[in-house]
Structures are given as structure tokens and as C-alpha cells.
Amino acid sequence: MKIETLISQAAAEAVKVLYGMEATEKMLQLQKTRSEFEGNLTLVVFPFVKAARKSPEQTAQEIGQYLVEHCAAVEKFNVVKGFLNLSIGNGAWLQLLEAIDQDANFGRKAVNEDSPLVMIEYSSPNTNKPLHLGHVRNNLLGWSLAQIMEANGNRVVKTNIVNDRGIHICKSMLAWLKYGNGETPESSGKKGDHLIGDYYVSFDKHYREEIKQLVAQGMDEEKAKQEAPLIKEAHEMLVKWEQGDPEVRALWEKMNAWVYAGFDETYKKMGVSFDKIYYESQTYLKGKAKVEEGLQKGLFFRKDDGSVWADLTGEGLDQKLLLRSDGTSVYMTQDIGTAEMRFQDYPIDKMIYVVGNEQNYHFQVLSILLDRLGFKWGKELTHFSYGMVELPNGKMKSREGTVVDADDLMELMVEDAYKTSMELGKFDDMTEEERREIARIVGMGALKYFILKVDARKNMLFNPEESIDFNGNTGPFIQYTHARIRSILRKSGLSPLPLPERRAEQGESLLPKEIELIQKMNEFPAAVEQAGKDYSPSGIANYCYELTKVFNQFYHDYSILNEPDAQKKAVRLVLARNVAKIIKSGMSLLGIEVPERM
């Protein structure tokens, strides 16, 4: 049983015996004792003062005395106003360490076939361009959230919706037809998504030139944007696609296949994957059918021009377009269709969409519409809204080709990790193959940690140089600590187990920093639970950093391998082993690998 649970139960018993009061769980507030006071855990006694009919200090004294006499974990206490500071005995700490050591899945809840099913959508790329830095944040958040939700006892389905249709796709297709000369990924040596992205940029370049020429001939700029021959051709191609034109569809399938092969390569490097991928080209017709069904049931209404709308004024919002007057769908319609397909495929209990905060209103509306249409999780859907990633030199624009490409970024991070490790002499006794593998682990760990340690709701400034640092709040600092511990354990040649009863009987005491380390490790399950409640990968990142700091402070002050006392050495090795275990477990929730050596 956890020490906190043991003390809470004993405290509840104390107030019942002393004051005849039934204490609720909310009243029994235990927190870590502040560093300036003696003790490990503090009980706030103000909720019991009225029943005790005594001052907070007297109440705390009486409860403290009861706990020392009746709770084996409590060794002594002191009182500061209405705060009861409790010192936990060595035996209890060592029993806790042994319990942590014996639990291979410490901090994680079991998942079975009756566990709630949570579906998480992330990535959502367009097939007209490669993944960029914004997608990196999205994918890393989505993957980490999936790991955290599973660690909290949920079955998880990771899903992706690919935006594979629309005018933006036709722009790349048209540019390839006009300027491509039959270029392929094989003939160019480029990844398919990069090749198609180049033609999207090429379309924009030629389109701007046409607008410029029309404006020079005296046409208004807004009209020129509509009358430019390229954009007209792109719209004609879109109509042909909608009508199922064989040539347009064949080109669309060929170019999309190139893109998917490129995406798969990027996802693999990033360490993310999906259980199910949906495509807008397959969902938009379902969405249109669902809207028509809602129209027949009186849930939506049709305007004189034939367009279909949802009236949300009763919910304090406006009217929302669902089908245009020409019958074509909008993003909202497609999302309804995707929801319909997912609901048919899986018995979803909770749906989480990982999408940037510029779509907050969209998901507020989608929740209302899905609820109206009878999806049981519609009202409760969660939009995991995150901020944008910005660069020191400003925002990114895909069509202008100014984005930070995901593949280039990952390659840069791995190369930087390789160079930094070489300069610091960390690769001296390794083969080139080992160096490259560790550089990959460290470079990707640096990238993932830098992005995930920031509160997802906030905009963030990404600076690659700051992320690869073997000191401070970085991925490599935590990874290096894990590797250092694994090295200590290898050198020890032992598989020690603590002997808590014997040590307690001998009256030997744990050092304050050993107790602090056990206490910090014991916080891991609560950190995982809180991260699940808050949808917060940053909570896990911060916990891993705090645990790593506490261990390094201990390791700086006390030897492990050179400790002459065999009992103390055994306990320190078990401490180290479990710090490594929890770091590995915590970092895996962020999708970050930790090396055995660095």
C-alpha cells in the first residue's frame, strides 16, 4: 500500500476516534513537506478544527500523536500552525522502494478488453506537400497523448485523416502536367512528397506571375486572382475529379501514391504510426449523405439558393454552412462523414482531435452537430488544441516554399547530435555503427523533448541549437543520465535487492537525499494520471527532468560503486536501477528512446 494511502487511512481513523468525525477524501489533504521544514509529508488540519473545538496547533498535535502511536509509517511529527509535518520511518521508505522495484509496470494501469476505447486523431496532412515543423509538433503531441492515455488504462486507436482531395491537390497536379516533363521520384531522386510539394510551389509562382500580368493590363487584383488562366484550369480539373474523369483520377492516384510513400518514410523516422488511416476522398460523400439525412429529420435547413445550413443561434453561435449551393461539401461535412465511418468501425467511448488552436471554433461547432446527429460521444469530443510553432525568423508559408521541412529538420538534429557527441568525446570507444545509432536516438530525443516539454496550448519558438545540450532541461541531459545509470549497474555486476526489515531493525538510517529520491519516484503514478486528465505531455517531460535532477544531485554527493558498506551500496544500486526504469518508462510516454550507453 502507498505511504500516502496508509497515512490518509490512519488520519481518517484519528479524527473519528478523537473527534467523532467522518473525514472525506477531500478533507485529507496530504502534500510534500516544504523544504524549509522537517518532515516528508504534510497534513492540513484546518478541515478538522471545528469538530475538534481546539486551535489548529492543538488539533495538529493530537492527530500527530495519534499517528505516531497507531501508524507504523510515521516516526515523528512537528506542527507549524495548522500544518502537521510527518517524518516517515526508514522501514516504510524501504518497503516502498522494494514495491517500486518489483513492479515492472510501475506507474501504468492495466488495459483489458473492457477498458474504455479512446480514439485519437493526429497528423492530418495534405497530399500536396511534405510534412513540415508544424506537422512535427502535431504528430509528436498525438503520439505522446496516445501513450499517456494507454498508460492510464484506456484502449487507444491512433488514427489519421488524409486531406487527399480539393483545389490544393489539383494545383500540384496541374503544375506537374504543365512543367513536369514526366518527372518521377525515381528519375529525380526526390522523395515523392517533396516532388509534389515542389510543384505546389511552382503553381503558386506561375499563378502570381499571371495575376501580375493581368493587373498590369488594368484588371483589379481581386478579379485577376479569379480570372488567371491557371486557377481556372485548376477548378476545371477539380470538377473533372468530382465527376470521376478517368484521366484525372488516374493522375491523382499516381501522384498521391508517391506522396504516401514519402509520408511513410517520414513517419518511420519520427517514430509515429497509426492503427487506421481515413481519406477525405472516401469520407466526404458519407458526410453529404449524413447532412441530407439531418435535413430530412429537420435538424438542418435549406436556403433559397439550395445551400444547406445548421442553425446554431440557440447555442449562442451563428449559422453554419454544411453544403454549398452547387451541392459540394465543406470541411465540416467531411468531418461528419469521417465521424460516421469511425463510429461504424469502432465502439468509441471518447474522441480526441489533435488540431491547432486556429480550429477552436470548428470543433466547437462539430461537437454540437455530431451530438444532434446522435453520436454518443459527440457532446464530449475533445479538441486537443495546441499553439503554433514559430521560428526566430517568422512564420512558415507552404506555397512560398518557406517551411521548415520535417525530413530536413530530423536529419539536421541527428547530425548535430553526432557532431556534439564527437566534440564532447562521448563516442571515443564506439564503432561507427554505434555512433550513428546513438546520434539518431539523441538527435530525435532532443527534438521531441524540446517540443513536448512546452505546454501544448502555448505558441512556441523552436531553436534547434538549444535542444541539443547535455545539461539543463533537455532530452540529451535525461538520456545521458539514463545511460550513466546503466553503466553503473553494468560495472556493479550485481542484481541487488533491498533488505528493509533487517536495515530497519539495525536502526540504520537512510540519507535525506535517498528518501527524496524514493519520494520523487513514488510521484510517477500521480504524474501519469495527471497528464492523462490534463492531456499534457509536458507534465511527463517536467517530471522526468525533476527526477533526473534529484538523482544527479544525489550522485554528485554520494558514491554508489565505491560505497564500502554492502547494505548501503545494495540500496543505492536499487535506487539507481529504479530511477533508470522510471526515466525509460516516462520518456517512452513522450515517444523518446533512451540509450544504454552514450
Side-chain angles (χ1 to χ4, degrees):
M1 189 184 291
K2 284 177 67 178
I3 288 173
E4 291 89 343
T5 309
L6 203 65
I7 293 172
S8 290
Q9 288 178 357
E13 185 185 289
V15 295
K16 187 173 184 181
V17 170
L18 295 170
Y19 315 124
M21 177 185 182
E22 295 285 349
T24 64
E25 193 179 326
K26 197 175 178 182
M27 290 176 174
L28 297 162
Q29 297 263 333
L30 275 173
Q31 55 204 35
K32 196 173 177 180
T33 303
R34 285 164 54 180
S35 57
E36 62 264 36
F37 300 116
E38 184 187 0
N40 308 115
L41 292 169
T42 298
L43 178 69
V44 182
V45 303
F46 294 110
F48 318 120
V49 169
K50 192 175 178 183
R53 297 182 180 177
K54 292 173 182 168
S55 70
E57 289 86 347
Q58 285 176 301
T59 307
Q61 284 285 348
E62 288 183 350
I63 296 172
Q65 194 59 47
Y66 186 95
L67 292 176
V68 167
E69 292 169 7
H70 295 89
C71 181
V74 179
E75 191 173 66
K76 56 183 178 176
F77 71 93
N78 66 83
V79 174
V80 180
K81 298 184 179 175
F83 299 93
L84 173 58
N85 301 322
L86 304 168
S87 295
I88 310 304
N90 288 324
W93 287 122
L94 286 163
Q95 283 171 3
L96 176 58
L97 175 59
E98 191 166 42
I100 293 170
D101 187 55
Q102 291 174 356
D103 187 351
N105 296 308
F106 179 67
R108 294 168 180 255
K109 292 175 184 166
V111 179
N112 57 51
E113 58 186 22
D114 297 321
S115 300
L117 181 68
V118 178
M119 180 175 277
I120 301 176
E121 175 194 293
Y122 57 97
S123 202
S124 310
N126 293 327
T127 54
N128 64 315
K129 56 191 175 188
L131 303 178
H132 56 62
L133 178 55
H135 291 114
V136 172
R137 190 179 198 191
N138 179 295
N139 279 280
L140 297 183
L141 286 169
W143 178 264
S144 178
L145 189 60
Q147 310 314 306
I148 290 167
M149 295 307 286
E150 191 171 335
N152 276 286
N154 300 284
R155 287 180 297 147
V156 175
V157 176
K158 302 181 294 291
T159 182
N160 185 0
I161 174 72
V162 178
N163 303 307
D164 65 338
R165 61 176 288 278
I167 190 66
H168 52 291
I169 312 295
C170 291
K171 287 177 180 179
S172 293
M173 289 163 60
L174 185 62
W176 183 83
L177 280 177
K178 284 183 171 292
Y179 320 119
N181 297 315
E183 187 178 25
T184 67
E186 290 75 23
S187 70
S188 64
K190 291 180 182 175
K191 281 176 79 238
D193 51 336
H194 287 184
L195 181 69
I196 302 308
D198 289 346
Y199 285 103
Y200 183 63
V201 173
S202 175
F203 176 95
D204 192 65
K205 180 183 161 191
H206 287 89
Y207 176 45
R208 284 168 180 266
E209 193 55 44
E210 286 184 351
I211 293 167
K212 193 175 171 184
Q213 288 173 8
L214 291 172
V215 169
Q217 292 166 17
M219 189 180 286
D220 172 74
E221 187 174 348
E222 284 307 309
K223 192 175 181 186
K225 285 178 182 176
Q226 296 167 14
E227 295 297 322
L230 264 178
I231 199 70
K232 282 188 165 183
E233 280 188 77
H235 279 291
E236 285 167 16
M237 184 179 271
L238 179 59
V239 171
K240 285 181 179 177
W241 184 92
E242 295 262 359
Q243 292 169 347
D245 180 278
E247 281 187 32
V248 171
R249 285 289 179 125
L251 175 63
W252 170 75
E253 285 176 7
K254 177 169 75 173
M255 291 177 72
N256 272 356
W258 295 344
V259 173
Y260 298 144
F263 283 171
D264 287 347
E265 210 176 303
T266 306
Y267 288 138
K268 191 175 178 183
K269 278 186 201 166
M270 208 182 291
V272 304
S273 61
F274 309 93
D275 300 307
K276 177 81 175 180
I277 298 179
Y278 294 89
Y279 300 89
E280 279 194 16
S281 56
Q282 296 167 357
T283 67
Y284 83 106
L285 291 174
K286 286 256 186 192
K288 287 169 77 169
K290 202 70 184 167
V291 168
E292 291 289 353
E293 183 187 310
L295 188 64
Q296 289 165 18
K297 291 179 179 176
L299 302 173
F300 310 131
F301 70 95
R302 195 185 294 278
K303 287 191 176 180
D304 293 340
D305 65 356
S307 58
V308 177
W309 296 71
D311 184 2
L312 305 175
T313 52
E315 283 86 357
L317 303 173
D318 53 10
Q319 294 182 345
K320 181 67 184 175
L321 174 68
L322 299 178
L323 288 175
R324 298 187 187 95
S325 55
D326 61 1
T328 56
S329 62
V330 294
Y331 273 119
M332 190 64 71
T333 324
Q334 288 154 197
D335 273 347
I336 290 170
T338 309
E340 167 83 348
M341 288 183 76
R342 287 171 176 165
F343 196 69
Q344 289 169 353
D345 292 343
Y346 298 96
I348 301 167
D349 294 301
K350 187 161 194 66
M351 181 74 215
I352 303 173
Y353 294 87
V354 180
V355 183
N357 56 17
E358 76 278 10
Q359 295 293 328
N360 285 353
Y361 176 74
H362 175 91
F363 285 97
Q364 188 182 359
V365 171
L366 180 63
S367 176
I368 294 167
L369 296 180
L370 292 178
D371 184 55
R372 274 194 199 178
L373 289 165
F375 294 94
K376 68 171 184 174
W377 46 264
K379 211 168 192 174
E380 301 300 320
L381 77 77
T382 297
H383 173 208
F384 180 64
S385 173
Y386 64 89
M388 297 297 99
V389 186
E390 292 166 1
L391 298 161
N393 59 353
K395 293 185 178 177
M396 302 179 290
K397 292 182 181 174
S398 301
R399 62 178 176 272
E400 293 175 18
T402 60
V403 299
V404 174
D405 178 79
D407 293 310
D408 292 345
L409 175 63
M410 289 189 286
E411 194 177 316
L412 169 74
M413 296 296 291
V414 172
E415 277 306 310
D416 281 357
Y418 184 90
K419 285 177 193 167
T420 304
S421 297
M422 285 294 278
E423 287 165 9
L424 294 172
K426 295 188 182 296
F427 283 167
D428 290 352
D429 60 342
M430 295 185 193
T431 65
E432 184 60 17
E433 190 180 355
E434 284 177 310
R435 290 171 182 171
R436 288 292 169 190
E437 175 60 6
I438 289 171
R440 180 193 67 77
I441 292 171
V442 173
M444 290 306 299
L447 170 63
K448 292 178 180 185
Y449 189 84
F450 193 90
I451 285 175
L452 294 173
K453 73 177 180 180
V454 179
D455 181 346
R457 292 165 297 185
K458 295 178 180 175
N459 287 355
M460 68 171 290
L461 190 71
F462 181 71
N463 188 337
E465 291 170 13
E466 288 178 18
S467 66
I468 297 183
D469 190 335
F470 287 84
N471 296 298
N473 190 5
T474 66
F477 171 63
I478 298 168
Q479 289 174 316
Y480 181 63
T481 299
H482 177 270
R484 171 188 272 170
I485 294 171
R486 297 303 299 167
S487 173
I488 291 167
L489 295 171
R490 282 193 299 274
K491 286 174 184 173
S492 76
L494 301 172
S495 296
L497 280 172
L499 304 168
E501 293 82 11
R502 188 173 160 200
R503 278 185 60 100
E505 283 165 14
Q506 291 172 345
E508 295 178 27
S509 61
L510 286 168
L511 295 166
K513 286 194 175 178
E514 289 174 323
I515 291 171
E516 185 184 5
L517 207 43
I518 297 170
Q519 197 165 5
K520 178 55 73 174
M521 285 193 283
N522 192 42
E523 291 170 14
F524 182 54
V528 173
E529 190 173 325
Q530 198 59 49
K533 285 177 183 172
D534 298 340
Y535 307 119
S536 175
S538 64
I540 297 294
N542 291 331
Y543 171 81
C544 289
Y545 175 56
E546 290 299 321
L547 176 62
T548 303
K549 272 201 309 183
V550 173
F551 175 80
N552 279 298
Q553 285 160 6
F554 167 76
Y555 185 68
H556 177 268
D557 293 347
Y558 300 99
S559 174
I560 296 177
L561 291 176
N562 294 325
E563 169 55 53
D565 184 308
Q567 286 287 329
K568 288 180 180 177
K569 182 177 177 179
V571 171
R572 288 179 192 175
L573 284 166
V574 174
L575 276 170
R577 181 170 70 198
N578 284 282
V579 169
K581 176 177 83 177
I582 294 169
I583 286 175
K584 185 173 184 176
S585 182
M587 292 292 266
S588 76
L589 296 178
L590 304 176
I592 298 174
E593 299 169 75
V594 286
E596 288 291 302
R597 58 189 298 232
M598 275 173 73

